[in-house]
Amino acid sequence: MSMDFHWFLPTNGDSRDIVGGGHGVPVGAAGGVRPLTIGYLGQIARSAEQLGFVGALTPTGAWCEDAWLTTAMLTEVTERLKFLVAFRPGLISPTLAAQMSSTFQRLSGGRLLLNVVTGGESHEQRQFGDFLDKEARYARTGEFLSIINRLLRDETVTHEGEHLHVENATLARVPELKPAIYFGGSSKAAGPVAAEHADVYLTWGEPPAQVAEKLAWIRTFKPNMRFGIRLHVITRDSAEQAWAEAARLLQNVSEADVAKVQAGLRNSESEGQKRMLDLHGGNRDGLVVSPNLWAGVGLVRGGAGTALVGSHTEVADRLEEYAALGIDEFILSGYPHLEEAYWFGEGVLPELRRRGLWRHPAGERDTAPAAIPFAGVPLQK
């Protein structure tokens, strides 16, 4: 068993508190926001790379910066880190998306991963000129992925479907390594699309029993599917410190803030979002929905709303539990993203290495403590 870890790039800003935004739902400021700059994102990306993360997810939506442009800039300040670029197939031509993917993959040295987001909110899709309903969006995603996969395999494609039409489409150059496609969705329509076109199926951080059910569902379509999970993390040297930090994240969030966000999220068309809401019901009581799994983030954030909270050993235990279900890849985040990357990278990853479950993607690193100059040396007079 070998576990791969990805971090998250907060392209809507960062904070020591839970930052508002996500899936088209404005939250408002829950704390002092760190302005988004390439310099700051570069700090996060370089730190993730050094600590041993394979890649970094960059989100998509009206609430954040464009993922393609941002990550293209960040390839210049990193060396190995891959970029999991989220994008919506209804907003771009499949031929152009294939061309962009090919260019990115070749010029970055094979560091592109594709996170295809069908789009769960019609009101947000309409901002971009997309007026299809949810079921039609999934059908279009299937057509889109069929075209882009064929183009990246160096085929000439003519496709006349219900939603997309291309004629004699081809790429002048294809990358040596086709970027892997990551895809998530809890709707009934998502399963067949994932099985036919995706390399990795993603789920949000539900309790292990629910994750097991979802993985079993996808395996009915594709038994050898690779799986990933999206979670926040709050890991500290002791469980008490970790839970104190979780409490701090919510202490400045008012009931009015929670009510406003929950009212917006209850209008979501996303089945995954509904499953996240069902974990806590908009109530601060009962936020621990499974051992070390805390649903507090979802009170004021759309999308991924759960965090693993505990000591480094406890968080490692829970990750191992998910891995035993068949999860291969873990896409993690925490507030603020720079500091939390270090808490996880210096606390949990060494524990997983000790268990033989993880190794640094760049090879073994020297983990010996730094020597203190002149320590134990008699003072020279």
Side-chain angles (χ1 to χ4, degrees), residues 231-281:
L231 286 157
H232 304 279
V233 286
I234 304 173
T235 179
R236 294 292 186 271
D237 295 341
S238 71
E240 292 77 16
Q241 291 171 339
W243 286 109
E245 176 61 15
R248 188 198 66 79
L249 286 174
L250 289 184
Q251 69 183 8
N252 293 324
V253 178
S254 70
E255 291 301 327
D257 289 335
V258 173
K260 179 181 178 181
V261 174
Q262 293 300 301
L265 294 176
R266 279 194 294 272
N267 293 324
S268 175
E269 300 171 13
S270 166
E271 289 300 318
Q273 183 63 73
K274 292 174 183 176
R275 292 167 71 100
M276 284 283 102
L277 294 177
D278 287 343
L279 292 177
H280 54 69

Side-chain angles (χ1 to χ4, degrees), residues 69-230:
L69 294 174
T70 304
T71 54
M73 295 178 186
L74 291 173
T75 61
E76 289 297 291
V77 299
T78 52
E79 298 176 357
R80 173 191 51 79
L81 192 72
K82 296 182 180 181
F83 294 98
L84 182 50
V85 175
F87 71 101
R88 304 188 184 195
L91 311 182
I92 188 173
S93 150
T95 307
L96 179 57
Q99 183 184 41
M100 292 166 62
S101 300
S102 177
T103 299
F104 196 120
Q105 187 74 326
R106 285 187 295 102
L107 297 184
S108 70
R111 294 198 282 151
L112 175 66
L113 304 169
L114 297 173
N115 180 25
V116 177
V117 180
T118 298
E121 314 300 342
S122 291
H123 69 89
E124 186 180 18
Q125 294 294 121
R126 288 194 290 268
Q127 294 182 47
F128 293 96
D130 179 16
F131 290 86
L132 293 184
D133 62 26
K134 183 179 175 181
E135 291 299 314
R137 291 199 295 270
Y138 271 109
R140 180 181 58 195
T141 295
E143 292 185 37
F144 180 96
L145 291 177
S146 175
I147 295 169
I148 194 173
N149 273 321
R150 292 177 62 192
L151 287 170
L152 289 170
R153 290 195 296 263
D154 204 18
E155 297 181 27
T156 298
V157 180
T158 294
H159 173 93
E160 187 167 359
E162 182 180 358
H163 303 287
L164 297 173
H165 182 194
V166 299
E167 185 174 325
N168 293 323
T170 186
L171 297 179
R173 297 180 66 182
V174 296
E176 291 185 8
L177 178 64
K178 178 180 170 292
I181 292 177
Y182 292 64
F183 180 85
S186 297
S187 300
K188 290 182 179 179
V193 174
E196 186 172 357
H197 303 292
D199 300 293
V200 181
Y201 175 83
L202 296 176
T203 179
W204 284 330
E206 299 176 4
Q210 292 178 234
V211 170
E213 291 177 0
K214 189 177 288 187
L215 270 54
W217 167 57
I218 294 296
R219 288 189 180 111
T220 64
F221 301 104
K222 187 176 181 179
N224 64 339
M225 177 67 83
R226 187 172 174 88
F227 295 104
I229 193 168
R230 173 80 178 90

Side-chain angles (χ1 to χ4, degrees), residues 28-40:
V33 173
R34 296 179 183 176
L36 175 68
T37 65
I38 286 296
Y40 180 63

Side-chain angles (χ1 to χ4, degrees), residues 357-369:
L357 300 175
W358 174 82
R359 59 184 179 182
H360 198 292
E364 289 303 314
R365 297 300 180 95
D366 183 9
T367 57

